[in-house]
Amino acid sequence: DTGVSQDPRHKITKRGQNVTFRCDPISEHNRLYWYRQTLGQGPEFLTYFQNEAQLEKSRLLSDRFSAERPKGSFSTLEIQRTEQGDSAMYLCASSWDTGGGSPLHFGNGTRLTVT
Amino acid sequence: GENVEQHPSTLSVQEGDSAVIKCTYSDSASNYFPWYKQELGKGPQLIIDIRSNVGEKKDQRIAVTLNKTAKHFSLHITETQPEDSAVYFCAASWSGNQFYFGTGTSLTVIP
């Protein structure tokens, strides 16, 4: 399977702990996106990369969140000092886009539960 | 920023009937409009998309229409089948930058 893979699928953590998620995009894709989805809502944009450059970050994203995409391949999303409100599904998506808009290919997400 | 509204939030249809889901967007600069289907425990999967230079696109039982003047676009599913039951999301984007998603429509096809 050469789709987008995310690890872990589920993560339970105590409030105040740090967590890190990994996303492996489709190998030839240049763009990588992180979204957050809560129950009954659509995906909410967090940030995206073109190759290794982080091009945009949501204003809603607190400074406890950081994302990296070293060498333009896999990406990590870290949440520091987790809060109960961080409980959500974290989705990663990738695309090959040269500026005209291309479909996002999503992984199956990492479900985070903060207790 | 862009605001995408989606209606209805839930939709039940008899197998074989048609289903229509509607979305509106606020930013006239948006030029790419994909639709996604999400099944329980999985990420959204693209089912069809349309660009702003096209008014309608069809792929077998699925069609999308776009009215740029009114800033709305719709998903049409004909001859619905039980396996069409899922949550559907519309989205709007300007050239593949941020994608803004609607709040979803839970479609149930009753056999």
Side-chain angles (χ1 to χ4, degrees), chain A residues 36-69:
Chain A
R36 177 171 61 191
Q37 186 177 28
T38 54
L39 199 61
Q41 298 297 314
E44 177 188 28
F45 172 79
L46 294 179
T47 188
Y48 90 95
F49 295 82
Q50 177 147 321
N51 301 313
E52 66 275 10
Q54 187 172 18
L55 293 191
E56 198 163 348
K57 190 174 174 180
S58 170
R59 287 190 296 265
L60 302 175
L61 205 61
S62 85
D63 57 8
R64 296 184 297 106
F65 287 71
S66 63
E68 295 183 341
R69 192 184 182 197

Side-chain angles (χ1 to χ4, degrees), chain B residues 33-74:
Chain B
F33 306 92
W35 285 88
Y36 289 86
K37 176 183 181 183
Q38 187 173 27
E39 297 175 333
L40 203 60
K42 295 186 177 181
Q45 300 297 309
L46 178 80
I47 56 171
I48 196 167
D49 57 5
I50 192 167
R51 299 183 189 279
S52 57
N53 59 349
V54 175
E56 183 172 358
K57 184 177 178 180
K58 190 173 181 180
D59 182 4
Q60 300 183 345
R61 297 187 297 109
I62 294 173
V64 58
T65 58
L66 171 66
N67 183 328
K68 285 190 299 182
T69 303
K71 297 199 195 76
H72 67 71
F73 56 115
S74 300

Side-chain angles (χ1 to χ4, degrees), chain A:
Chain A
D1 188 338
T2 58
V4 177
S5 63
Q6 293 188 244
D7 184 69
R9 288 296 313 275
H10 304 274
K11 178 70 177 179
I12 300 173
T13 191
K14 293 185 185 302
R15 188 177 55 189
Q17 297 295 304
N18 299 344
V19 294
T20 299
F21 310 141
R22 177 182 171 117
C23 172
D24 287 275
I26 293 172
S27 59
E28 61 267 26
H29 283 182
N30 60 344
R31 288 194 178 182
L32 186 149
Y33 303 75
W34 284 100
Y35 281 82
R36 177 171 61 191
Q37 186 177 28
T38 54
L39 199 61
Q41 298 297 314
E44 177 188 28
F45 172 79
L46 294 179
T47 188
Y48 90 95
F49 295 82
Q50 177 147 321
N51 301 313
E52 66 275 10
Q54 187 172 18
L55 293 191
E56 198 163 348
K57 190 174 174 180
S58 170
R59 287 190 296 265
L60 302 175
L61 205 61
S62 85
D63 57 8
R64 296 184 297 106
F65 287 71
S66 63
E68 295 183 341
R69 192 184 182 197
K71 302 177 183 178
S73 56
F74 71 93
S75 176
T76 58
L77 177 68
E78 181 183 17
I79 308 174
Q80 297 182 328
R81 304 181 303 280
T82 51
E83 302 172 355
Q84 287 188 323
D86 298 331
S87 295
M89 175 77 83
Y90 289 83
L91 293 165
C92 176
S94 68
S95 72
W96 171 254
D97 198 325
T98 54
S102 295
L104 301 182
H105 298 259
F106 282 91
N108 287 328
T110 294
R111 181 167 296 284
L112 173 66
T113 303
V114 181
T115 61

